[in-house]
Every structure is written in C-alpha cells, then in structure tokens.
C-alpha cells in the first residue's frame, strides 16, 4: 500500500470542505474544536495549546477576514489575555460544516457496511494516536 495515498485523500477532503463550506483547514479545525467543546471560551494561549499550534500561528489564523466573522474575541478583565469563542455565525457555520463532513464521510465509506466502516475508523484513530504519541 502506498501510504502517500492518505495525503491524496486528505487533500480531496480539504477541497470538499472548501467547496461545500468555503473553509480552509485552520478555520475547520477552530470551528470543530469549539463545537466539540460546547463553545467553551478559552484564552488564546489555551486554545493554541489545545490545537497544538503556536500562539503566533493562532493569532494569524484568527486575523483572517473570514475567520473573524466566526469568532468573538473578548479582552479579559483580569489581565491582558484575550478570550476566544465562536460567534453565532460561527456556531451556524460549525453546524453546516458537520453536515458537510457527514456527507464526505458517507461518500468515503460508500462501499463499506456500517460495521466495516466503524472498524476502519477505529483503526485509523489508533494509527493517528500512535503516530502522535511517537512524536512527543
């Protein structure tokens, strides 16, 4: 098996997300993170850590014109930190994104029954987790 084939699949998924939702991968990750965490407000530092990116990278991502419409940044009253969470538009976009991702997933696994696709996803998650653990 050519493991680089995974990159081809990932590129196709990114194109589909962009086509269906108009999002890049950084916007996708931010929306999904907040959706999965009940839109719990976080400082920029904690958000960068949770996304496993540098604070400067997160700052650049949040400054993108389109991304600004999806988030709310509030200055902390306690210190100089900034608190981030999704705006109502961001919550709507996250919902749209999840529907698009479900469609993409169904198209990827169209030839597998539900049990086979669940097993395949579980195995991919194990691979992803083990490769992430090895890098740390």
């Amino acid at each position: 098996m050519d493991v680089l084939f995974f990159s081809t699949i990932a590129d196709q998924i990114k194109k589909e997300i962009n086509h269906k939702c108009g999002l890049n991968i950084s916007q996708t990750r931010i929306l999904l993170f907040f959706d999965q965490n009940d839109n719990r407000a976080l400082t920029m530092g904690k958000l960068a850590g949770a996304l496993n990116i540098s604070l400067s990278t997160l700052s650049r991502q949040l400054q993108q014109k389109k991304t600004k419409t999806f988030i709310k940044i509030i200055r902390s009253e306690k210190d100089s930190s900034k608190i981030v969470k999704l705006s109502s538009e961001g919550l709507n976009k996250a919902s749209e994104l999840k529907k698009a991702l479900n469609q993409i997933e169904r198209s990827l696994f169209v030839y597998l029954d539900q049990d086979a696709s669940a097993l395949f996803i579980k195995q991919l998650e194990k691979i992803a987790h083990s490769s992430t653990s090895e890098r740390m």
Side-chain angles (χ1 to χ4, degrees):
M1 173 181 204
D2 181 2
V3 295
L4 295 179
F5 189 62
F6 287 107
S7 177
T8 303
I9 294 169
D11 289 343
Q12 188 59 37
I13 291 169
K14 289 174 193 174
K15 286 178 187 173
E16 281 294 308
I17 291 169
N18 187 272
H19 174 72
K20 291 178 185 285
C21 300
L23 298 171
N24 64 35
I25 196 65
S26 66
Q27 293 160 341
T28 299
R29 291 186 71 219
I30 291 166
L31 290 172
L32 289 176
F33 175 83
F34 279 109
D35 181 75
Q36 292 165 353
N37 291 283
D38 300 320
N39 199 26
R40 192 179 84 234
L42 289 175
T43 64
M44 285 185 58
K46 287 186 180 180
L47 178 58
L51 294 173
N52 200 24
I53 58 176
S54 71
L55 187 54
S56 63
T57 298
L58 176 63
S59 184
R60 278 193 309 276
Q61 291 175 353
L62 296 181
Q63 291 303 313
Q64 294 174 4
K65 185 177 179 181
K66 185 180 230 175
T67 306
K68 284 182 177 183
T69 65
F70 301 140
I71 58 164
K72 229 188 268 190
I73 300 177
I74 305 155
R75 285 205 175 271
S76 172
E77 294 176 6
K78 298 175 187 173
D79 54 32
S80 64
S81 65
K82 294 177 184 174
I83 311 287
V84 184
K85 66 185 266 179
L86 294 183
S87 65
S88 57
E89 189 172 337
L91 291 168
N92 291 336
K93 191 56 123 171
S95 179
E96 176 188 334
L97 173 61
K98 287 192 323 185
K99 288 176 188 171
L101 289 173
N102 283 332
Q103 290 173 346
I104 292 167
E105 186 177 317
R106 281 194 304 276
S107 70
L108 283 172
F109 300 117
V110 70
Y111 299 109
L112 300 176
D113 64 31
Q114 192 171 5
D115 290 339
S117 63
L119 178 62
F120 183 68
I121 290 168
K122 192 174 186 175
Q123 294 299 321
L124 284 177
E125 287 171 348
K126 283 182 181 178
I127 292 167
H129 179 71
S130 69
S131 66
T132 303
S133 299
E134 290 173 7
R135 283 186 266 156
M136 294 181 175

